[in-house]
């Protein structure tokens, strides 16, 4: 069972919780004051002047205006629901989810009024459910007469209960500098393996020193986040794509975990075709900058980048871009299996307007995703036939959509599918942090692959044992 702690414990958990996975962003927008003492935050929910029933809902999010089209989306909801206002509380001007998690935890601990919460990853979602931050939605869902696992492409159950509905459906893919591919005489891959990926990276690497262009850039792991980059050969499998199995035991003896470590070591240390991990950490490199500044020809990233793939005011596109599917381990493996990220949209446990908040959550994760027009929805009613139209709308919002190989993007998205989802453990952040620390020792030259696996297994097993008590 999920162990639910009181709100007073949230501050003590802030430092740990801030280590959770997140997708850092470089977009900048003016943020709404997140404090509990804003005038809007003090708005009375109930009978207002003229006996008109008014409800103000506070939506806490890391999503920026540029990436989420909030103004248009919330105005559409308010127009269809007279008397309801949605107050947007943006927790990071850059869309940085780690910064947003820190601020969200502080807001929760200070008893700020909250109604709707957005979590950016499964581990962050699970951790905050353990803190008692979100309301179970099962009764509301039963009244609406649907099943999450049938109505959505992402199953959000935790310990048999649903605490969030999924918003976007963002499979991971590979962004490629098509100009660099053409220069090297390489075709845009439509079905490839990790060996192919490493071979491409070698052929795309060019130059030396400060002017060197690397074939590939991996944006993780770092600080217990971006752990997708340590599961590369596990995530494209139908089952057991996580460090923990569904029964809660360690999956670090999976040969694909070792193969991932070996791939990272080979590309950085032998081929010298991937940006050094030490550079990423010491220089605080950003994946957008690495790709759009043409410091790296290929990046593995989530399809939240669809809104930026054609270039933006802040990050212009000066070359042609193509998209390839997440690589497979072997040529005969099933095509399209890839990590999938989503927004976990919840009703705050302490909301005084839970029914109204749930109504918004259900709308936002269904029709609202189409209104927002920024992402492929996790709502299963949106068919693959509609993907191209959604992509046209998304690319039209970028500066240079003509520089994007739309066919490669649409084909990749249509073919993408998630492996079996393993509900995250409430202590998953501890597991991530431990594995991340052991990886750093390896990649920085302090231990070999086998020692890294053994130490990771020992530490993870201790974490599992401690949380069973």
């Amino acid at each position: 069972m999920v162990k639910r702690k009181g709100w007073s414990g949230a501050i003590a958990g802030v430092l740990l919780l801030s280590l959770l996975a997140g997708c850092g962003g470089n977009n900048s927008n003016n943020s709404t004051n997140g404090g509990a003492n804003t005038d809007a935050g003090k708005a009375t929910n109930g009978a207002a002047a003229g006996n008109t029933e008014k409800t103000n809902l506070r939506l806490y999010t890391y999503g920026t205006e540029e990436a989420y089209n909030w103004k248009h989306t919330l105005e559409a909801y308010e127009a269809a629901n007279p008397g309801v206002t949605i107050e947007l509380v943006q927790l990071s001007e850059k869309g940085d989810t780690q910064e947003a998690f820190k601020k969200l935890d502080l807001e929760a601990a200070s008893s700020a009024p909250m109604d709707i919460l957005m979590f950016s990853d499964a581990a962050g979602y699970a951790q905050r459910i353990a803190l008692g931050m979100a309301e179970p939605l099962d009764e509301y869902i039963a009244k609406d007469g649907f099943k999450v696992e049938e109505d959505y492409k992402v199953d959000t159950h935790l310990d048999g209960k649903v605490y969030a509905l999924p918003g976007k459906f963002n499979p991971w893919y590979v962004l490629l500098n098509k100009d660099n591919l053409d220069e090297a005489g390489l075709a845009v891959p439509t079905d490839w393996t990790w060996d192919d990926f490493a071979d491409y990276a070698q052929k795309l690497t060019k130059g030396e020193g400060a002017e060197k262009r690397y074939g590939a850039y991996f944006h993780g792991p770092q600080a217990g986040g971006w752990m997708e980059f340590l599961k590369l050969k596990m995530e494209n499998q139908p089952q057991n794509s996580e460090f923990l199995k569904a029964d809660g035991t360690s999956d670090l003896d999976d040969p694909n975990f070792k193969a991932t470590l070996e791939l990272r070591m080979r590309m950085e240390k032998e081929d010298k075709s991937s940006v050094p991990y030490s550079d990423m950490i010491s220089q605080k490199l950003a994946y957008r900058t690495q790709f759009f500044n043409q410091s790296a020809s290929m990046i593995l990233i989530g399809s939240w980048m669809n809104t930026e793939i054609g270039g933006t005011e802040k990050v212009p596109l000066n070359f042609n871009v193509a998209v390839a599917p997440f690589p497979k381990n072997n040529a005969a493996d099933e095509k399209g299996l890839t990590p999938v990220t989503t927004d976990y949209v919840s009703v705050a446990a302490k909301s005084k307007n839970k029914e109204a908040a749930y109504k918004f959550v259900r709308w936002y994760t269904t029709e609202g995703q189409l209104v927002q027009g920024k992402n492929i929805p996790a709502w299963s009613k949106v068919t693959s036939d509609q993907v191209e139209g959604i992509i046209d709308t998304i690319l039209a919002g970028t500066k240079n959509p003509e520089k994007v190989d739309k066919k490669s993007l649409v084909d990749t998205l249509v073919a993408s599918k998630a492996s079996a989802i393993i509900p995250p453990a409430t202590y998953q952040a501890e597991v991530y942090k431990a594995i991340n620390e052991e990886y750093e020792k390896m990649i920085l030259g302090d231990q070999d692959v086998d020692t890294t696996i053994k130490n990771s297994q020992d530490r993870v097993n201790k974490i599992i044992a401690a949380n069973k008590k």
Side-chain angles (χ1 to χ4, degrees):
M1 294 295 292
V2 174
K3 298 177 182 177
R4 298 169 67 91
K5 302 178 183 177
W7 289 93
S8 61
I11 283 285
V14 165
L15 291 177
L16 170 62
L17 294 170
S18 69
L19 297 173
L20 293 169
C23 49
N26 294 328
N27 300 327
S28 178
N29 294 279
N30 294 329
S31 67
T32 303
N33 184 353
N37 295 321
T38 61
D39 291 339
K42 294 177 181 177
T44 301
N45 296 311
N51 294 321
T52 301
E53 196 76 14
K54 292 185 182 291
T55 303
N56 182 71
L57 300 175
R58 302 190 89 209
L59 165 59
Y60 281 76
T61 179
Y62 49 85
T64 62
E65 174 62 29
E66 187 171 45
Y68 279 80
N69 203 12
W70 285 122
K71 186 174 185 296
H72 172 71
T73 305
L74 300 184
E75 284 178 352
Y77 186 77
E78 291 171 352
N81 295 271
V84 178
T85 56
I86 311 294
E87 178 191 351
L88 191 68
V89 184
Q90 287 178 304
L91 296 165
S92 171
E93 294 182 4
K94 308 185 296 292
D96 185 323
T97 55
Q98 293 195 33
E99 176 189 8
F101 270 136
K102 290 179 183 179
K103 291 183 179 178
L104 178 64
D105 294 333
L106 288 169
E107 287 283 281
S110 67
S111 297
M114 295 176 162
D115 297 291
I116 302 151
L117 311 174
M118 281 180 62
F119 307 122
S120 63
D121 61 86
Y125 166 54
Q127 284 282 347
R128 283 158 185 82
I129 297 313
L131 286 173
M133 203 177 282
E135 182 76 5
L137 302 180
D138 303 85
E139 290 185 12
Y140 301 104
I141 291 169
K143 286 180 184 177
D144 274 356
F146 70 91
K147 294 182 179 180
V148 170
E149 60 271 30
E150 294 176 358
D151 242 35
Y152 296 92
K153 297 178 183 178
V154 180
D155 187 349
T156 54
H157 278 86
L158 272 178
D159 285 350
K161 291 186 178 182
V162 175
Y163 296 89
L165 297 180
K168 63 193 178 187
F169 179 74
N170 280 342
W172 279 52
Y173 51 33
V174 182
L175 288 184
L176 308 108
N177 184 316
K178 193 170 186 300
D179 293 355
N180 293 167
L181 289 183
D182 292 344
E183 178 190 21
L186 298 170
V188 176
T190 58
D191 187 10
W192 60 340
T193 66
W194 283 112
D195 284 341
D196 296 329
F197 179 88
D199 182 56
Y200 266 52
Q202 260 192 303
K203 291 176 179 175
L204 291 166
T205 299
K206 184 177 180 180
E208 295 294 337
E211 301 302 315
K212 182 173 182 177
R213 183 189 77 202
Y214 288 91
Y217 171 72
F218 298 106
H219 192 60
Q222 50 179 302
W226 293 101
M227 296 300 287
E228 292 89 351
F229 293 99
L230 279 189
K231 296 179 288 182
L232 298 175
K233 292 198 170 190
M234 300 171 72
E235 290 164 318
N236 56 17
Q237 300 301 295
Q239 303 289 332
N240 297 329
S241 60
E242 249 294 349
F243 297 130
L244 299 178
K245 296 178 183 177
D247 62 5
T249 59
S250 170
D251 196 27
L252 296 182
D253 58 354
D254 186 331
N256 288 322
F257 175 55
K258 181 177 183 179
T260 299
L261 298 183
E262 290 173 336
L263 175 71
R264 294 294 304 270
M265 288 286 281
R266 169 193 162 188
M267 291 184 66
E268 179 173 331
K269 305 299 184 183
E270 297 176 26
D271 299 347
K272 302 188 186 304
S273 61
S274 64
V275 176
Y277 182 83
S278 58
D279 287 0
M280 183 198 74
I281 296 297
S282 64
Q283 299 175 32
K284 298 182 179 178
L285 298 178
Y287 61 83
R288 288 175 179 86
T289 306
Q290 288 292 293
F291 185 68
F292 287 104
N293 285 1
Q294 303 193 66
S295 298
S297 298
M298 302 188 297
I299 61 169
L300 285 149
I301 205 66
S303 54
W304 59 79
M305 286 298 292
N306 290 344
T307 59
E308 303 172 50
I309 194 174
T312 63
E313 289 284 356
K314 295 183 177 68
V315 188
L317 175 63
N318 299 310
F319 54 92
N320 293 295
V321 173
V323 180
F326 200 78
K328 305 185 299 187
N329 294 350
N330 305 292
D333 289 351
E334 183 179 357
K335 180 182 176 181
L337 284 166
T338 181
V340 171
T341 59
T342 188
D343 293 319
Y344 296 83
V345 191
S346 299
V347 173
K350 288 207 167 184
S351 171
K352 295 180 180 178
N353 299 287
K354 291 187 176 72
E355 187 124 11
Y358 166 77
K359 184 179 178 182
F360 173 82
V361 169
R362 174 62 171 164
W363 175 85
Y364 174 73
T365 59
T366 53
E367 290 95 338
Q369 290 292 292
L370 301 178
V371 171
Q372 196 170 57
K374 286 289 187 179
N375 293 288
I376 305 300
W379 189 32
S380 60
K381 296 291 192 297
V382 178
T383 67
S384 59
D385 292 339
Q386 296 174 286
V387 170
E388 186 168 355
I390 295 171
I391 288 299
D392 282 336
T393 301
I394 291 171
L395 290 180
T398 65
K399 299 296 290 182
N400 295 103
E402 76 282 356
K403 290 184 177 293
V404 178
D405 181 346
K406 189 180 78 170
K407 185 178 187 305
S408 70
L409 173 60
V410 172
D411 288 350
T412 296
L413 292 173
V414 169
S416 295
K417 63 194 83 170
S419 57
I421 294 172
I422 300 171
T426 56
Y427 49 86
Q428 194 132 324
E430 297 176 64
V431 170
Y432 284 175
K433 183 172 181 289
I435 298 171
N436 192 156
E437 289 172 353
E438 294 303 321
Y439 172 78
E440 284 194 356
K441 294 174 189 175
M442 180 195 76
I443 204 70
L444 297 177
D446 295 329
Q447 63 189 23
D448 61 21
V449 170
D450 289 334
T451 303
T452 300
I453 293 171
K454 181 181 184 305
N455 290 350
S456 297
Q457 288 174 324
D458 290 345
R459 291 183 64 178
V460 168
N461 284 333
K462 286 179 182 177
I463 292 169
I464 294 170
N467 281 276
K468 284 184 176 178
K469 295 177 181 178

